[in-house]
Amino acid sequence: MRPTTATVRLDAIVSNYQLASRMAPGSKNIAVIKANAYGHGLVQVARALQGHAPALAVAFIDEAIQLREAGIDTPILVLQGIHHQDEIAEAEAADIWLMLHHKRQLEWVLSLNTPGPVTVWLKLDTGMHRLGLAPAELDGVCADLIASEKVHRDLVLCTHLASADDMDDPLTAQQISLVRSCAARHGLATSIANSAAILGWPESHADWNRPGYMLYGNSPGSSLDTGSFGLSPAMTLKSVIVATRCIAVGEGVGYNSRWVAQRPSKIGTIAIGYGDGYPRHAPNGTPVLVNGERVPLVGRVSMDALSVDLTDLEKAEAGDPVELWGQQLSVNEVASAAGTIGYQLLAGLTGRVPLDFIQD
Ligand SMILES: *Cc1c(COP(=O)(O)O)cnc(C)c1O
């Protein structure tokens, strides 16, 4: 087996969850584990959070069913609700909570044949303009929902913040105030904060918060520093050097010789590539750790391999350990070099990389 794995420290996820709870002492925190728990293993992360998180959230109903089939009995909220009327019966049978964002979904629930009640969270569009009822629509549907015996009485009004990672954007305060006034008008519980808002916007903390990315130990925004909060990265993506070679000035590395040696150079090749989820668009110079030391990526990332410049690491040789991101090299830094965000790198890890779970 090739020595490329992602180790996942489940205890770090639990302690990051506890940190989210301490930062918002008046809120319940629903742990967001969509997209295979941001690449960390859906079922294993759900199990690790049992007894800590009062509820879990995923994006789609299939993810929730997968958790139920694995024996997870924690309440599960499906953030995009249902895509077809038939899914309501499935949700009800598996005791799954539904976040509903569209009138069509509400009509499906109100015309339910089964007795119910279904637990519903209502999504309000307060400025992100992606999903959610408009505030004016809410007035029309709220009374019907509250009156219906198909729907559980404890409705939660929810909104998603568009720019909580930008401490200077005035939109966040407007969104918070709009959802709070709508919730007050209808006497509803509220849920607003994602990770960035838990860390940066205490005024967004409400009955329920929805931390996702921070649970995996990285800061959700460039203006919010991980270290200062005490988050601990749960995943370390590891491999080893599988070959080294020396090349002369003027010789290139990789497809289309995107990098050309300016000095006699020692090149190391690592058995990981974009087929594993390492970003293909990572430029020359993207940091990689070899024996704990930073070296620059050189040449194009290929499907199964990438190369680094080992010229300054005299002793480096085949078999030496490599960290692509993790505890010593922030996934956010690698992402930023590659023009993306850590969320995409973690969620984009492919099934070819085995996850190695470490309990403590
Ligand atoms: C993904 C998601 C979250 C979690 O966001 P993070 O930035 O990862 O904390 C919260 N709420 C909704 C609706 C989401 O889709």
Side-chain angles (χ1 to χ4, degrees), residues 43-260:
V43 170
Q44 288 83 355
V45 171
R47 276 200 195 113
L49 288 169
Q50 263 178 329
H52 298 282
L56 305 168
V58 292
F60 304 114
I61 198 160
D62 340 14
E63 298 172 296
I65 300 287
Q66 196 187 331
L67 288 168
R68 286 286 179 260
E69 283 172 355
I72 304 293
D73 55 12
T74 312
I76 305 171
L77 173 69
V78 174
L79 294 166
Q80 275 195 30
I82 37 180
H83 294 86
H84 194 274
Q85 188 162 23
D86 297 346
E87 289 179 345
I88 302 177
E90 222 180 328
E92 206 194 336
D95 190 23
I96 289 166
W97 304 352
L98 298 175
M99 176 142 26
L100 303 181
H101 60 84
H102 197 278
K103 266 194 151 167
R104 199 163 72 121
Q105 295 176 319
L106 301 177
E107 283 155 16
W108 290 338
V109 170
L110 290 172
S111 62
L112 207 58
N113 293 326
T114 47
V118 180
T119 298
V120 169
W121 290 35
L122 274 182
K123 183 146 181 179
L124 188 69
D125 177 11
T126 55
M128 178 130 173
H129 303 319
R130 185 180 64 172
L131 293 173
L133 301 167
E137 269 181 308
L138 185 68
D139 296 339
V141 298
C142 242
D144 290 349
L145 284 174
I146 292 169
S148 168
E149 58 202 23
K150 308 286 184 190
V151 176
H152 204 278
R153 301 229 156 274
D154 302 324
L155 279 177
V156 179
L157 188 68
C158 169
T159 202
H160 198 49
L161 299 173
S163 312
D165 58 335
D166 178 355
M167 299 307 299
D168 299 322
D169 195 324
L171 180 60
T172 303
Q174 292 162 24
Q175 289 192 271
I176 295 170
S177 115
L178 182 53
V179 68
R180 285 202 186 279
S181 69
C182 289
R185 191 157 70 241
H186 297 283
L188 305 177
T190 320
S191 173
I192 307 170
N194 55 5
S195 296
I198 290 170
L199 298 173
W201 299 85
E203 60 273 46
S204 73
H205 300 174
D207 298 282
W208 287 92
N209 299 334
R210 307 184 308 277
Y213 191 64
M214 70 178 293
L215 302 179
Y216 310 99
N218 296 286
S219 166
S222 48
S223 58
L224 299 158
D225 174 36
T226 305
S228 60
F229 297 111
L231 293 168
S232 175
M235 179 195 290
T236 302
L237 182 60
K238 295 179 181 171
S239 190
V240 298
I241 301 282
V242 291
T244 62
R245 74 202 61 250
C246 292
I247 64 170
V249 172
E251 292 187 310
V253 172
Y255 286 117
N256 311 110
S257 301
R258 186 184 70 179
W259 185 86
V260 173

Side-chain angles (χ1 to χ4, degrees), residues 1-57:
M1 200 173 80
R2 90 187 149 132
T4 297
T5 53
T7 55
V8 175
R9 292 185 309 129
L10 295 169
D11 62 312
I13 296 176
V14 171
S15 73
N16 294 325
Y17 178 84
Q18 288 166 336
L19 189 141
S21 304
R22 279 199 305 280
M23 294 207 64
S27 307
K28 284 181 277 186
N29 287 289
I30 188 160
V32 180
I33 59 169
K34 61 191 177 184
N36 198 30
Y38 294 54
H40 293 68
L42 179 69
V43 170
Q44 288 83 355
V45 171
R47 276 200 195 113
L49 288 169
Q50 263 178 329
H52 298 282
L56 305 168

